[in-house]
Amino acid sequence: MRLAGDVALVTGGGAGIGEAIAHRLARDGAAVLVADLLPDRAERVAAEIAAAGLRAAPFALDVAEEDQAAAAVAEAEARFGPLRLAICNAGITDRVPALEMSRVAFERVIRTNLTGCFVTAQAAARAMVRNGGAEGGGGRIVTTSSVSGQFAGTGRVAYGASKAGIINLTQVLAMELAPHGILVNCVAPGPTQVARTAHGPRQRAAFLNHMAMDRYATPEEVAAAVAFLCSADAGFVTGHVLNVDGGFAAAGVLYDPADGP
């Protein structure tokens, strides 16, 4: 159990990638506060982890509210001890063309994805600094971006902007928090098989045509990358964006030469 004794906060932990992260960190030995906007989802995931003999508790959280983010950190520490791991994973999407997207819809995505990531990371980092910084072993913050934050995609004006912002936010936090022994990194999943994805056949084909590995990721594969960044094996890694994308970012023109020019 390479995270034995650690305390983790996972936002968006009630479904999809966040759910897989909560389960993985718990299996690796961490006590996990499963935070989600929907209390019943957080309660279900925490109950599943506890039923496996591991440590977890649920927490209802709107990630963009500063007081709620601070309360989540306080709850994690009250239940389990000093916070060491914070996974800023909560996010939403809205596939609307730029010319049709309202300002309200745009700001809703930015508020949850980017502002929520900042507010949660800030609350967690403040606690980690209070807990002793470098002398106390620091901590780890892992954010969730996307390949949509690295490449343009139609219908992703708000989502892509939010995820691009998370990448730079991660890098700035990594620079500022390094003196406190806090490492800050980012995972950038490619298309991942979760209920929220719900890609139709044309969208699915568009993704797969640009990938070396001819399939979507599983949430567990993304969770494994997060677990690595939380572990001692990543002790000299900070400010890094780890793509979990089946080769999406590396691809150029993909075709079978046997099909002719």
Side-chain angles (χ1 to χ4, degrees):
M1 284 193 166
R2 59 183 179 176
L3 302 181
D6 286 346
V7 176
L9 166 64
V10 179
T11 69
I17 290 173
E19 177 179 356
I21 292 170
H23 278 281
R24 175 58 188 262
L25 297 187
R27 288 198 305 273
D28 282 0
V32 181
L33 189 74
V34 182
D36 199 276
L37 182 64
L38 301 179
D40 58 331
R41 298 201 309 194
E43 290 165 3
R44 176 185 58 79
V45 174
E48 290 173 354
I49 293 172
L54 305 170
R55 296 184 297 163
F59 191 85
L61 172 66
D62 180 341
V63 290
E65 294 292 338
E66 291 181 80
D67 58 340
Q68 293 187 34
V73 171
E75 178 73 6
E77 296 200 319
R79 283 181 175 270
F80 303 120
L83 185 72
R84 179 169 168 76
L85 310 174
I87 316 304
C88 305
N89 169 77
I92 59 174
T93 189
D94 193 348
R95 301 186 190 109
V96 179
L99 297 183
E100 299 175 15
M101 174 164 271
S102 69
R103 174 178 170 177
V104 169
F106 183 88
E107 290 180 344
R108 173 175 172 265
V109 175
I110 296 296
R111 176 186 182 278
T112 299
N113 296 4
L114 181 54
T115 304
C117 182
F118 166 69
V119 167
T120 305
Q122 182 187 60
R126 285 172 171 167
M128 293 172 187
V129 171
R130 286 196 303 269
N131 292 336
E135 292 76 15
R140 307 293 174 89
I141 297 173
V142 181
T143 65
T144 302
S145 180
S146 168
V147 293
S148 291
Q150 300 169 333
F151 303 94
T154 53
R156 288 173 169 78
V157 64
Y159 184 74
S162 72
K163 294 300 186 177
I166 287 172
I167 290 174
N168 189 254
L169 172 65
T170 301
Q171 294 166 337
V172 172
L173 290 176
M175 299 303 103
E176 293 192 3
L177 296 176
H180 301 284
I182 300 169
L183 308 183
V184 189
N185 292 290
C186 177
V187 292
T192 305
Q193 193 60 54
V194 296
R196 192 184 71 180
T197 303
H199 291 170
R202 291 180 62 190
Q203 188 173 10
R204 189 176 183 87
F207 271 116
L208 294 178
N209 189 54
H210 202 72
M211 295 172 65
M213 298 178 69
D214 191 27
R215 65 175 179 84
Y216 279 24
T218 67
E220 290 73 23
E221 288 171 318
V222 180
V226 172
F228 162 70
L229 292 172
C230 288
S231 75
D233 292 337
F236 201 61
V237 179
T238 197
H240 183 70
V241 180
L242 176 55
N243 277 46
V244 187
D245 65 359
F248 184 93
V253 177
L254 300 181
Y255 78 104
D256 187 347
D259 294 336

